[in-house]
Amino acid sequence: MEEYLRRNFDVEPKRPSEEALKRWRSAVSVIKNPTRRFRMVADLAKRAEDKRKRKNLQEKIRVAIYVQKAALQFIDGISNRRDCNLPKEVKDAGFGIDPEEIASFARSHDTKGLERHGGVPGLAGVVSVSLEDGVVSSKIPIRHDIYGFNRYAEKPAKGFGMFLWEALQDLTLIILMVAAAVSIGVGITTEGMPKGIYDGLGIILSILLVVLVTAISDYKQSLKFKELDKEEKNIIVQVTRDGRRQKVSIYDLVVGDIVHLSIGDQVPADGIFISGHSLQVDESSLSGESEPADINQERPFLLAGTKVQDGSGKMLVTSVGMRTEWGRLMVALSEGGNNETPLQVKLNGVATIIGKIGLTFAVLTFIVLTSRFLINKAVHRHMTDWSSKDALKLLNYFSTAVIIIVVAVPEGLPLAVTLSLAFAMKKLMFDKALVRHLSACETMGSATCICTDKTGTLTTNHMVVNKIWICNETETITSNDNNDVLKSASEGVHDLLLQSIFLNTSAEVVKGEDGKNSIMGTPTETAVIEFGMLLGGDFKSYSEDYNILMVEPFNSVRKKMSVLVALPDGGKKRAYCKGASEIILKKCDNIVATHGEAVPLSDEQRTNISDVINGFACEALRTLCLAFKNVYDSSSEDSIPDDKYTLIAVVGIKDPVRPGVREAVKTCLDAGITVRMITGDHINTAKAIAKECGILTEDGLAIEGQDFQNKSSQEMAEIIPKLQVMARSLPLDKHTLVKQLRNELREVVAVTGDGANDAPALHEADIGLAMGIAGTEVAKESADVIVMDDNFTSIVNVARWGRAVYVNIQKFVQFQLTVNIVALMLSFISACVSGAAPLTAVQMLWVNLIMDTLGALALATEPPNEGLMKRPPVGRNIKFITGIMWRNIIGQSIYQIAVLLALKFCGIRLLKLTGSDANSVLNTVIFNSFVFCQVFNEINSRDMEKINVFSGMFSSYTFMMVMISTVVFQIIIVEFLGKFAQTVPLSWELWLTSVLIGAVSLLVAVVLKFIPVSVRKQEVSRDHEDVYEPLLRGPDLA
């Protein structure tokens, strides 16, 4: 079986090949309900159509952007007529431009139209907005009425009725309904009303119950996925409204909003550039152009859906929702669906194998029953004597065969994966982890390595300046209200320090609703600005007095930020630079002395400063250097100097380790998951934090990114098993490490990232984890999971739930295969020996409901237990149905078949049944015992190895509800629905007998778990990995 599954039903969890996707689809057979089975499977035809549509639309957009001069001249010619015909509702609302005209500016890159309205200031006037204060919140409803909402037209969600209809598409159920209808007709003819309708009506009512329960389960799943999808698309953007900078949902954006953009952001609507520095936008998602576009006053048009690749800026929103090109593109594309997960594919394979076996047994059963019937007629010489009763009997045989197919084909197997994943994803959302791709939750359970960032993930991201070295002295910052922190510095040094803080920053000080100042920016920028305010500086005054000419924003490659500023005393310019301490120090030739003068930086002083930096870093402080350079050359207006700076200060920033991180790291190590820290910080800072978290041990290796990149592939392969910390790393270093881990060491790698430059590593990893708070939209789009609170503990929760999904599906498969084997063998043997199936059609449909939909609900939604994180991860290609599972399946099947066949053939004697209804009572006892065997086996399946299967059972709400519902409904069927289910009420002694027969399976499970199962360890190769040996290290060794 495993070889067949590996050959036909093996797909990669991430970016599976088209060939693999087509191969498993063609291998699937014996499908009862294709609509339901393939609902959560990607539609390859739609996907190919989407690809073609996107290409055509991109071509049209490219033409619209670059080849529309003639059209723009035509628009210019009729512009006066447009002004005259301004709609009344637009005029009454106080606006001077209609929605279509303003939307055409960005869409068509209409510079003439923009100039005609007076550029950006004029356009702001006609949409009644101040470029300084932004939109007035109270006027937003009017803007919605005139210019629309920032939402795209979506296909209406499927209602409950559609799920009912899909559940009814099951071919076997349709055949049974037809057979039931015929049975009612024949029954009325032969037995009259109402007796003649009971058999057929019972089947129809059972089918309706199955359809209803299935539809409810599927509908609830769809609601969970819809909620997750809505959360994923809800991007938070920064805008200026009511005179202050604030964060709003992308859905709340309106025409006239002033939006702030920075590296990695997605442009949330069409708009016009107001101001900014070095703004570059990747428009490939719309136009297909790979080269980034420079956005400036000459080319000010920004399109929704594009990504900010570099720089920062502000834009005026000119169109939203369906009036943007991105909106039109989204509507034009149909839903091709997400790729199916490896477990879904594998279980489709298992369902196919079992379906073929079930179909064979169904045909054999029908042949045996029909043959016995015909032989019996021949022996009694009644071959020419046929009645409606004979027809009804053959119809019942046919129904029995169809029922065997219904029970034997485990349609719910692949759907159980979806149910389990939907449940896990919903729970993870409450635990601050948003799973974007189904397969990620599944794959995370197999993760053998987590490459994590430091800042904000292992640490709190609430930074404060803790120490500063300036004028050859180190000061410790101990108070929040001390204005005399720098007692040793002169007024000139003090002012120079504040200039470097307030002018060279991407943060902004804004007033909140309560009137208090708050800082909007990265945690590092916020810490430095707070320190500047602590020194008595005023952010606003520095912003007003100095004119910023150029900005070189910080990114993870440069590891520095620089600005060029025009000084207020006229003509002079000055460059400020801050960033990674050793990088800035190398760019400095001078140092600020006590009275503010620049003096040459000697080699001895350089060594002393390096020692200060190392000292700060060893105390787990992030170190930054602040520097400046006076610029006298007028030719350098187009660039910021890159050397010969004067060092002002070294700043040490404290970023405490998050509570619970050390315990979370220990949990990972106990689970066989190696944790590696990758950071851009100084190596001593990284080592100090890694030791505090329990990541770096005495035998572990810490290395700088540059040293790692310089090593050969062979050297990398030798050091990576011991590598625990990589400091001063670039995004390329992270990408290289992930590739080596995956391709050379065959690890299943999860990697965290927050910046736009982390996208390649997130894309390359088995599981990409983007940060929800600090992460950019580019990083989130490349990720599989978004960690909403940026907390390492949340990442461990994803791994825990990933393992729970895998184990829960194994539990369900074990349970369902046991029921399948018992039902098949019981029906076939009974048919061969006695000429009749032991269970009626209605009874078998009820059993099918227990083992399929209800079984999946009970077992596939079990919450994770702590034991899951005390075992090694599942390997890449390990057998899904393990030896332990086969032991339990075969053992339970033998017991159930033996006891039920004993009842079938010796039950009247064993139970001492007498009277005319002895056979009816026996058949009811067999049915009751069979159901209780499944109830107790469902409890057995909660743990495949441990004897105590009751641990945590009563706290599992769903499991208990399914158990109680099953038992209650079984009582109702036996005691009150006998005419439909062909049962009779039982005495309390026979009820007790049935329950005890089922309960014995608990004892059987205990005996089976004492039978040892050899686990065959295979040698790990490049293609197959069956076991993973966890490294012997942990936080206690740190």
Side-chain angles (χ1 to χ4, degrees):
M1 181 190 276
E2 286 295 333
E3 183 56 36
Y4 173 77
L5 292 175
R6 187 169 287 171
R7 193 171 62 250
N8 296 293
F9 294 90
D10 194 23
V11 297
E12 286 293 319
K14 205 166 179 179
R15 298 182 299 280
S17 67
E18 193 86 1
E19 181 191 352
L21 294 176
K22 288 178 178 176
R23 183 173 63 243
W24 84 259
R25 282 165 172 76
S26 62
V28 170
S29 58
V30 195
I31 305 168
K32 297 188 293 182
N33 189 345
T35 308
R36 183 168 181 255
R37 173 85 78 92
F38 296 125
R39 186 193 302 120
M40 298 303 294
V41 168
D43 189 323
L44 298 183
K46 276 188 180 178
R47 189 176 285 180
E49 180 66 15
D50 280 357
K51 196 173 180 181
R52 188 187 61 77
K53 280 184 183 177
R54 183 183 282 271
K55 196 171 180 181
N56 291 341
L57 285 165
Q58 284 178 339
E59 189 61 37
K60 287 178 184 177
I61 291 167
R62 194 183 294 121
V63 169
I65 292 173
Y66 297 109
V67 200
Q68 280 203 341
K69 288 185 179 178
L72 292 178
Q73 287 172 0
F74 176 72
I75 290 168
D76 192 38
I78 63 167
S79 61
N80 292 332
R81 200 184 323 159
R82 265 195 181 174
D83 293 340
C84 296
N85 295 331
L86 195 65
K88 184 176 182 297
E89 62 270 17
V90 176
K91 285 182 181 177
D92 292 345
F95 303 122
I97 189 168
D98 72 80
E100 288 303 326
E101 184 181 1
I102 193 171
S104 70
F105 293 160
R107 194 165 61 229
S108 305
H109 285 36
D110 186 359
T111 50
K112 287 189 176 181
L114 183 60
E115 289 167 7
R116 190 171 61 250
H117 282 280
V120 176
L123 200 58
V126 295
V127 293
S128 302
V129 68
S130 162
L131 292 176
E132 294 298 322
D133 298 333
V135 167
V136 178
S137 294
S138 60
K139 303 291 184 184
I140 286 175
I142 298 172
R143 293 180 184 275
H144 281 152
D145 292 340
I146 303 299
Y147 295 107
F149 291 82
N150 197 29
R151 293 178 184 271
Y152 310 129
E154 294 180 357
K155 293 177 182 175
K158 282 197 289 190
F160 180 65
M162 278 301 297
F163 286 96
L164 275 174
W165 176 249
E166 284 185 3
L168 276 166
Q169 303 305 302
D170 190 314
L171 181 62
T172 52
L173 294 184
I174 293 169
I175 293 170
L176 277 177
M177 282 192 283
V178 172
V182 173
S183 174
I184 289 172
V186 175
I188 291 170
T189 306
T190 56
E191 299 179 13
M193 285 284 288
K195 192 178 178 183
I197 68 168
Y198 288 146
D199 288 353
L201 189 60
I203 293 173
I204 289 173
L205 290 175
S206 300
I207 289 169
L208 291 177
L209 179 64
V210 169
V211 166
L212 185 64
V213 173
T214 301
I216 290 171
S217 174
D218 291 349
Y219 180 62
K220 290 183 77 173
Q221 273 183 57
S222 75
L223 291 179
K224 286 177 184 173
F225 284 121
K226 188 179 177 184
E227 191 177 337
L228 291 165
D229 187 55
K230 185 180 177 183
E231 186 67 31
E232 181 192 332
K233 291 176 180 175
N234 185 21
I235 298 169
I236 301 300
V237 294
Q238 291 194 18
V239 300
T240 296
R241 279 185 186 173
D242 301 319
R244 59 187 177 84
R245 193 161 159 180
Q246 52 190 283
K247 294 177 181 178
V248 299
S249 165
I250 190 173
Y251 298 127
D252 297 331
L253 218 57
V254 293
V255 169
D257 261 325
I258 311 298
V259 177
H260 298 259
L261 299 171
S262 56
I263 297 175
D265 285 348
Q266 177 176 309
V267 179
D270 286 359
I272 309 294
F273 175 76
I274 299 171
S275 62
H277 303 281
S278 311
L279 188 61
Q280 281 191 332
V281 172
D282 175 11
E283 295 182 339
S284 59
S285 57
L286 272 179
S287 65
E289 292 288 342
S290 57
E291 284 298 313
D294 291 312
I295 306 297
N296 46 46
Q297 301 297 346
E298 286 72 40
R299 191 187 187 281
F301 305 106
L302 289 146
L303 297 174
T306 57
K307 309 290 190 304
V308 179
Q309 194 162 310
D310 203 359
S312 60
K314 291 195 293 185
M315 70 171 245
L316 173 69
V317 175
T318 57
S319 59
V320 293
M322 292 307 300
R323 288 194 172 92
T324 65
E325 286 293 355
W326 185 250
R328 296 179 182 189
L329 180 65
M330 290 298 101
V331 171
L333 302 179
S334 58
E335 289 294 327
N338 291 321
N339 281 328
E340 48 274 20
T341 73
L343 259 185
Q344 280 177 314
V345 174
K346 195 165 280 188
L347 290 182
N348 265 294
V350 173
T352 298
I353 294 169
I354 297 170
K356 288 176 179 177
I357 295 169
L359 183 62
T360 304
F361 271 89
V363 172
L364 285 173
T365 303
F366 180 70
I367 291 170
V368 168
L369 288 171
T370 307
S371 299
R372 283 180 63 100
F373 173 74
L374 293 173
I375 291 168
N376 189 50
K377 283 186 79 71
V379 167
H380 292 87
R381 301 174 185 245
H382 293 153
M383 284 300 289
T384 56
D385 184 17
W386 289 82
S387 66
S388 55
K389 283 188 177 181
D390 292 333
L392 193 59
K393 199 169 269 190
L394 286 172
L395 187 64
N396 286 336
Y397 292 160
F398 178 72
S399 296
T400 301
V402 174
I403 286 291
I404 289 173
I405 297 173
V406 171
V407 175
V409 179
E411 201 83 332
L413 270 184
L415 298 167
V417 181
T418 311
L419 176 66
S420 188
L421 288 171
F423 182 78
M425 288 164 73
K426 179 79 183 221
K427 290 291 184 184
L428 280 170
M429 197 164 79
F430 287 118
D431 289 341
K432 303 297 182 185
L434 175 62
V435 180
R436 295 183 68 244
H437 301 136
L438 274 176
S439 59
C441 189
E442 188 180 296
T443 311
M444 194 67 191
S446 303
T448 59
C449 167
I450 299 175
C451 297
T452 176
D453 291 333
K454 175 187 78 70
T455 306
T457 308
L458 299 172
T459 60
T460 61
N461 223 9
H462 296 148
M463 302 188 191
V464 290
V465 174
N466 184 257
K467 285 190 174 183
I468 184 170
W469 179 91
I470 190 168
C471 299
N472 290 313
E473 289 193 19
T474 300
E475 300 276 358
T476 302
I477 316 302
T478 56
S479 173
N480 288 331
D481 55 0
N482 185 1
N483 292 333
D484 300 319
V485 174
L486 304 181
K487 297 173 184 175
S488 59
S490 66
E491 189 176 334
V493 174
H494 191 271
D495 185 52
L496 193 59
L497 177 61
L498 291 179
Q499 286 177 36
S500 69
I501 289 173
F502 291 127
L503 298 176
N504 186 19
T505 182
S506 60
E508 190 176 336
V509 179
V510 298
K511 281 197 181 296
E513 287 184 52
D514 55 2
K516 293 181 180 178
N517 284 336
S518 61
I519 302 167
M520 297 198 78
T522 64
T524 307
E525 294 278 16
T526 300
V528 175
I529 293 289
E530 280 178 346
F531 177 61
M533 294 167 75
L534 177 66
L535 296 177
D538 180 15
F539 179 85
K540 190 175 181 182
S541 65
Y542 279 93
S543 302
E544 291 172 351
D545 294 344
Y546 294 81
N547 180 27
I548 296 176
L549 303 174
M550 278 193 72
V551 176
E552 190 181 74
F554 178 90
N555 68 30
S556 52
V557 176
R558 288 191 288 262
K559 296 195 182 296
K560 67 183 180 70
M561 177 181 179
S562 307
V563 295
L564 184 63
V565 176
L567 300 178
D569 51 0
K572 293 183 180 178
K573 291 189 289 294
R574 182 176 289 165
Y576 294 96
C577 184
K578 74 174 178 193
S581 47
E582 64 272 29
I583 292 174
I584 303 300
L585 183 59
K586 285 178 183 176
K587 297 179 183 296
C588 293
D589 292 344
N590 300 298
I591 186 171
V592 173
T594 308
H595 298 292
E597 71 277 13
V599 297
L601 183 61
S602 66
D603 291 340
E604 185 182 351
Q605 282 179 308
R606 193 180 293 275
T607 303
N608 290 338
I609 295 167
S610 294
D611 291 341
V612 169
I613 291 167
N614 288 330
F616 282 8
C618 288
E619 294 177 42
L621 300 179
R622 296 192 81 185
T623 58
L624 290 179
C625 279
L626 308 177
F628 81 98
K629 178 181 181 180
N630 288 319
V631 179
Y632 303 104
D633 186 2
S634 59
S635 64
S636 62
E637 287 185 6
D638 296 332
S639 63
I640 300 174
D642 202 41
D643 57 5
K644 297 183 180 177
Y645 277 86
T646 300
L647 183 67
I648 303 171
V650 179
V651 176
I653 299 173
K654 184 72 175 174
D655 185 12
V657 170
R658 284 182 183 270
V661 162
R662 188 178 178 86
E663 291 76 14
V665 169
K666 185 178 188 306
T667 300
C668 284
L669 297 173
D670 289 344
I673 303 171
T674 309
V675 182
R676 294 181 170 91
M677 189 175 87
I678 304 173
T679 177
D681 277 349
H682 191 282
I683 191 163
N684 288 340
T685 307
K687 286 163 75 173
I689 293 289
K691 285 179 180 177
E692 194 175 341
C693 294
I695 294 172
L696 183 61
T697 58
E698 289 180 7
D699 62 335
L701 175 66
I703 193 172
E704 288 196 344
Q706 185 62 50
D707 296 337
F708 177 77
Q709 202 63 247
N710 290 338
K711 295 192 180 296
S712 66
S713 294
Q714 186 177 348
E715 288 173 323
M716 284 182 185
E718 289 172 3
I719 67 165
I720 284 174
K722 293 187 290 182
L723 179 62
Q724 294 172 350
V725 176
M726 188 188 291
R728 285 292 183 235
S729 68
L730 300 175
L732 178 62
D733 303 329
K734 185 187 284 189
H735 185 252
T736 303
L737 176 61
V738 170
K739 279 185 72 174
Q740 287 287 326
L741 284 166
R742 288 190 75 235
N743 301 334
E744 299 301 323
L745 301 180
R746 302 298 294 161
E747 300 238 20
V748 180
V749 184
V751 65
T752 69
D754 51 20
N757 291 328
D758 286 329
L762 292 169
H763 186 72
E764 175 68 29
D766 293 286
I767 313 103
L769 301 150
M771 300 298 105
I773 299 170
T776 62
E777 288 308 315
V778 171
K780 290 175 186 176
E781 196 171 274
S782 300
D784 305 294
V785 179
I786 299 172
V787 184
M788 306 300 286
D789 60 354
D790 293 12
N791 194 337
F792 184 79
T793 307
S794 299
I795 298 171
V796 179
N797 280 338
V798 179
R800 185 180 284 111
W801 272 101
R803 290 187 175 198
V805 167
Y806 190 87
V807 171
N808 285 347
I809 299 305
Q810 283 187 315
K811 294 175 189 175
F812 177 60
V813 168
Q814 175 182 295
F815 168 70
Q816 191 165 55
L817 288 184
T818 305
V819 185
N820 276 334
I821 291 170
V822 174
L824 283 175
M825 296 307 298
L826 194 63
S827 299
F828 183 69
I829 295 170
S830 295
C832 291
V833 176
S834 68
L839 302 179
T840 66
V842 172
Q843 292 169 1
M844 290 282 264
L845 281 169
W846 170 233
V847 170
N848 179 64
L849 188 62
I850 292 172
M851 77 170 193
D852 199 328
T853 307
L854 294 179
L857 269 174
L859 294 170
T861 59
E862 284 257 273
N865 58 65
E866 287 307 312
L868 289 174
M869 298 302 282
K870 296 191 184 300
R871 59 176 71 174
V874 177
R876 281 188 184 273
N877 290 298
I878 199 165
K879 290 180 178 179
F880 178 71
I881 304 177
T882 62
I884 290 169
M885 290 171 68
W886 280 122
R887 177 196 67 190
N888 296 339
I889 291 166
I890 293 168
Q892 288 290 345
S893 298
I894 290 170
Y895 164 71
Q896 289 185 28
I897 292 167
V899 74
L900 293 172
L901 286 176
L903 284 175
K904 174 69 178 172
F905 300 116
C906 309
I908 292 178
R909 180 170 53 82
L910 292 172
L911 298 174
K912 298 178 181 177
L913 300 176
T914 57
S916 59
D917 64 344
N919 280 321
S920 298
V921 172
L922 177 62
N923 288 335
T924 304
V925 171
I926 292 170
F927 168 55
N928 214 27
S929 301
F930 183 71
V931 168
F932 277 101
C933 279
Q934 309 326 314
V935 168
F936 284 100
N937 194 35
E938 206 160 349
I939 296 171
N940 278 329
S941 298
R942 292 190 68 249
D943 200 305
M944 293 176 283
E945 297 176 60
K946 292 182 180 176
I947 291 173
N948 182 11
V949 292
F950 296 100
S951 176
M953 185 178 83
F954 297 103
S955 59
S956 179
Y957 172 77
T958 309
F959 187 89
M960 289 307 299
M961 284 301 296
V962 169
M963 291 291 100
I964 293 167
S965 302
T966 303
V967 172
V968 168
F969 208 79
Q970 178 66 16
I971 293 169
I972 292 170
I973 288 173
V974 171
E975 296 294 324
F976 305 108
L977 299 177
K979 289 182 179 178
F980 298 104
Q982 296 179 26
T983 59
V984 293
L986 299 176
S987 64
W988 71 266
E989 293 93 346
L990 292 176
W991 268 105
L992 183 62
T993 301
S994 301
V995 173
L996 287 175
I997 287 171
V1000 169
S1001 66
L1002 293 173
L1003 300 176
V1004 172
V1006 172
V1007 173
L1008 289 172
K1009 286 168 185 175
F1010 280 105
I1011 299 173
V1013 176
S1014 61
V1015 179
R1016 185 168 57 93
K1017 291 190 177 183
Q1018 296 182 356
E1019 186 181 346
V1020 176
S1021 69
R1022 288 183 57 86
D1023 298 316
H1024 304 301
E1025 180 181 348
D1026 284 291
V1027 291
Y1028 173 78
E1029 297 294 339
L1031 295 176
L1032 297 174
R1033 57 172 183 262
D1036 296 332
L1037 297 176

